[in-house]
Amino acid sequence: MLARNLTFAALAVAAGLSLTACNGDNGAARSGGSSPSSESSAASSTGGSGSGGSEQGGGKDTAGKSSGGQGTGGQGTDSKTGSGTGAKAGKCRTDDMDITASDSTISGDTEGSVAVTFKNGGGRDCALSGYAGIDLKTNYGNLSAKRSGQGSSPMVLKNGESVSFGISYPLNNTGGSGVKVTGLVVTPPDETKSFSLAWPGGASLPVTDGSGSPVKVFPMGSAGQGGAS
């Protein structure tokens, strides 16, 4: 009887241990099954608000403040400059210009003057600045005009509009034949292609001692403003 009771007791203990083990495994399985998913959820939630949410949102806020709020990051300034001065307009090409020249000498002046006009006929606005290249064709070869040294500002020449500049030269009052002028060659600023036309000024220049060109060219926009007189 004692042996039988011991057997039952042993069986009861074994059953209890087995039941505890099973309950522990099930608890671990439930814990393990819910833990990864909750960690994954937590990670997903943290990653979404940290990298996808707050970081991206913060990046947009920063970018917005940099370009919109401050307005000094470069893009705002460049775009304002571009729309204001012709950063969007290409340079004026010789082939797009209708180039003419006329005598603008005023009676009583000690020097002669010629006004050269550029009319933009290229179908688009274009940018001009500085000095055009000027050469006078003479019976002694080409004579290049020297720059007057006056400052000039960049400009946008709208399609169909015109701008003029001046050329000054010494009048031949010596009574001699002097240096005969046979033509005018004009090269727009920043261009390499030239345009030839008739010289509308005095028929000749006085002979000089060769110390430098007596012909001067003035910057864009100078004609009619006293630049060539």
Side-chain angles (χ1 to χ4, degrees):
M1 185 68 176
L2 181 58
R4 191 172 178 183
N5 287 338
L6 290 173
T7 300
F8 279 124
L11 289 173
V13 171
L17 291 174
S18 174
L19 182 59
T20 302
C22 289
N23 288 337
D25 289 342
N26 288 338
R30 283 196 299 272
S31 176
S34 62
S35 177
S37 69
S38 51
E39 285 176 6
S40 174
S41 263
S44 172
S45 173
T46 304
S49 63
S51 60
S54 65
E55 287 183 9
Q56 290 181 6
K60 289 178 183 176
D61 291 342
T62 302
K65 290 176 184 177
S66 174
S67 61
Q70 295 177 357
T72 56
Q75 293 182 353
T77 303
D78 288 344
S79 106
K80 186 180 292 186
T81 301
S83 62
T85 61
K88 293 181 181 178
K91 69 179 180 179
C92 295
R93 303 283 186 180
T94 304
D95 291 338
D96 295 336
M97 297 291 105
D98 179 15
I99 303 176
T100 57
S102 60
D103 184 13
S104 58
T105 304
I106 298 175
S107 178
D109 282 354
T110 57
E111 289 190 325
S113 61
V114 165
V116 178
T117 301
F118 288 172
K119 183 177 181 180
N120 183 3
R124 62 177 179 85
D125 297 352
C126 63
L128 274 176
S129 68
Y131 290 76
I134 294 295
D135 291 287
L136 271 59
K137 294 180 178 179
T138 78
N139 56 334
Y140 288 98
N142 284 3
L143 176 64
S144 296
K146 63 182 180 181
R147 295 180 177 184
S148 67
Q150 293 179 351
S152 63
S153 299
M155 67 181 70
V156 174
L157 186 61
K158 294 185 177 297
N159 184 46
E161 291 188 352
S162 301
V163 65
S164 300
F165 63 93
I167 302 170
S168 70
Y169 63 95
L171 296 171
N172 184 16
N173 297 320
T174 64
S177 59
V179 178
K180 186 178 180 181
V181 183
T182 60
L184 173 64
V185 180
V186 180
T187 308
D190 299 321
E191 261 284 51
T192 57
K193 186 174 183 179
S194 300
F195 184 82
S196 296
L197 60 163
W199 171 248
S204 64
L205 306 176
V207 177
T208 65
D209 58 5
S211 59
S213 175
V215 181
K216 288 192 291 187
V217 57
F218 293 82
M220 304 303 305
S222 61
Q225 302 172 8
S229 60

